[in-house]
Amino acid sequence: MKPMLSPRAVLGAFLALLLVAPLVMPPFYVTLLNYIGLYALVALGLVLLTGVGGLTSFGQAAFVGLGAYTTAVLTTATDLPAWLAWAGGSPWLALVVGLVFTATVALVLGSLTLRLSGHYLPLGTIAWGISLYFLFGTLETLGGHTGLTGVPPIAVFGYELTDGSQIFYLIWAFLLSAVLTTQNLLDSREGRAIRALKGGMVMAEAMGVNTARSRMVIFVIAALHACASGWLYAHMQRFVNPTPFGLHIGIEYLFMAVVGGAGHVWGALLGAGVITVAKQWLQDILPRLFGQSGNFEVIFFGLMMIVILQRARDGLWPLVARLVPVRATRRKLDAAAEPLPRKALPARGEVILEAKEVTRKFGGLVANNNMSLTVRAGEIMALIGPNGAGKSTMFNQMSGVDTPTSGEVLFLGRPVAGRGSREIARMGMSRTFQHVKLLPTMSVLENVAIGAHLRGDKGVFPSAWRLDRAEEARLLNEAARQIERVGLAEHMFDAAGSLALGQQRILEIARALAADPCLLLLDEPAAGLRFKEKQALAELLRKLRGEGMGILLVEHDMDFVMGLVDRIVVMEFGEKIAEGLPEEVQQNPAVLEAYLGGVE
Ligand code: ADP
Ligand code: MG
């Protein structure tokens, strides 16, 4: 076995190197490191936005420009309007103004673009990226294409950072705090919601996550990182012009994040480092090689990108991480954490879900016709029928995903129609999916913890600064408790994607349970399971029923349902053809006809 290094020791060694770097390196290299730090700060925002959140932005350079121009104007202007005069002359006050201004712009741009899906979102970011760039070059007060000069240095405790080797420490302090807070954020309730955005939006909403809010959160955070980078840049260069804030630089930032490893916070630093050094090196060497000057590095650079994206789709960080064997930090569970409060379950036998004469038409097709049914606390109700009978449509009416053409569905006496899946989850109805929806690279524990999302309330700032640990311990404890309850304890820390299908289905039930529901809706939970897995599932459902849970099961598999459930409603062609105890339904001629003579 290879000796493993502790993450603390590696970080400590890295800090020590940074500390001495400006003392021993020639100024040229210190400047290079400064640029790497500035670029990495922007790329880090993109790791969060694009790599983790799946939202591609080509427009980050414009936010860098906002930060740079705000501080340049505020620290050089001699005739600021009265309402802004307080912020004049001080880089630190200008940083505050810049951050607030950038957050405002990001909120506006975000509310316009984040709703766009597919390739429209990146196109949207290109559009505003170009607009802001031309705004910088056009506005008279910003100095047009020549820009603004005479930007003062930043002072820290009265000590002016005039030299590259001095601002070096400030740049890297910003970068390292950004990396560490981002790392903290991702490892929290808020972070799990963010990590669910890529590929798990429907699931996340059903677990009570406000995905629109999470998208906006990472968009604003990424913009703020870019703004801080621009602020540092302006005071390092001591002048600003529009050139470094154009679209092609925005593309380069995206390259940095992707090449470094867009899913990893340290990948931002690696990507910024590799690309900055490579460009510098190519700029030096290529003209000599070709014996004439020209922008050869851009051409080489493009080719290099294609090769890296071909060979290492997850970027370079995973490759580097393999070379330096850092011990993985596994989340420790704190068994002493106080349990989360639980809602009281309705009394056994009480009707909790009631569909009244529900009809759903799709154009001329009547998918559900005058369907009525009830589910009681402490019972398992099955809705069965051949393929195409209208079961999933009925499931959607009852879970609030779809609205009936006529009739209504009441959950705990309140209508379900018109409520979003988040609100329904909060009311105590929790569901699994016919096609399993998990986050395969996240651990079983983290997947189940998403189910407990609506039982916590700590947001971005407490998470970034680790002020959420008490709540986090309670949430993880709850997730662990549900994992034990369904019998997956030995897989607690495995990646969810590594489980067999049967176990993944059971994981979904644990996730639904973590929301503290009184009603479980399961759409074809036995589909694709082997005999043993079906038995384990049936046993779990019996146990939950015994604890007073109401369960509605949509099933196609008669055998699975027969020995398990209390009552059955049989559907065919959108209508109820039978209802009753399993034994009764099994003898019903209409049901036998539907199953034996039907679509099967
Ligand atoms: P089951 O789940 O019992 O197999 P479904 O509820 O999925 O059946 O489908 C019932 C009928 O409704 C089918 O004929 C299906 O084609 C139709 N249907 C379902 N959803 C829609 C939709 N969104 N638009 C049009 N037709 C639909
Ligand atoms: Mg179906």
Side-chain angles (χ1 to χ4, degrees), residues 445-502:
L445 181 67
E446 287 182 302
N447 267 283
V448 175
I450 292 177
H453 184 86
L454 48 76
R455 298 170 77 184
D457 61 9
K458 290 280 183 284
V460 176
F461 286 101
S463 308
W465 298 100
R466 283 277 188 252
L467 302 171
D468 64 334
R469 292 297 100 176
E471 180 188 278
E472 177 72 357
R474 296 176 76 188
L475 293 178
L476 289 184
N477 235 5
E478 173 67 13
R481 195 172 73 83
Q482 301 304 348
I483 292 168
E484 280 157 16
R485 189 175 176 192
V486 302
L488 282 180
E490 59 178 315
H491 297 293
M492 189 98 72
F493 299 101
D494 297 347
S498 72
L499 301 186
L501 178 63

Side-chain angles (χ1 to χ4, degrees), residues 382-385 526-527 529-531 534-535 537-538 541-542 553-565 568 582-583 585-586 591-592 595-596 600:
L383 181 61
I384 67 168
L529 297 199
R530 287 181 301 231
F531 182 66
K534 284 186 190 175
Q535 279 184 322
L537 175 65
L541 296 181
R542 279 191 197 101
L553 202 68
V554 169
E555 250 318 329
H556 163 98
D557 179 344
M558 275 269 237
D559 295 334
F560 175 71
V561 162
M562 282 308 159
L564 169 68
V565 308
I568 296 182
E583 313 77 75
V585 164
Q586 218 170 3
V591 176
L592 290 174
Y595 263 84
L596 298 175
E600 286 303 273

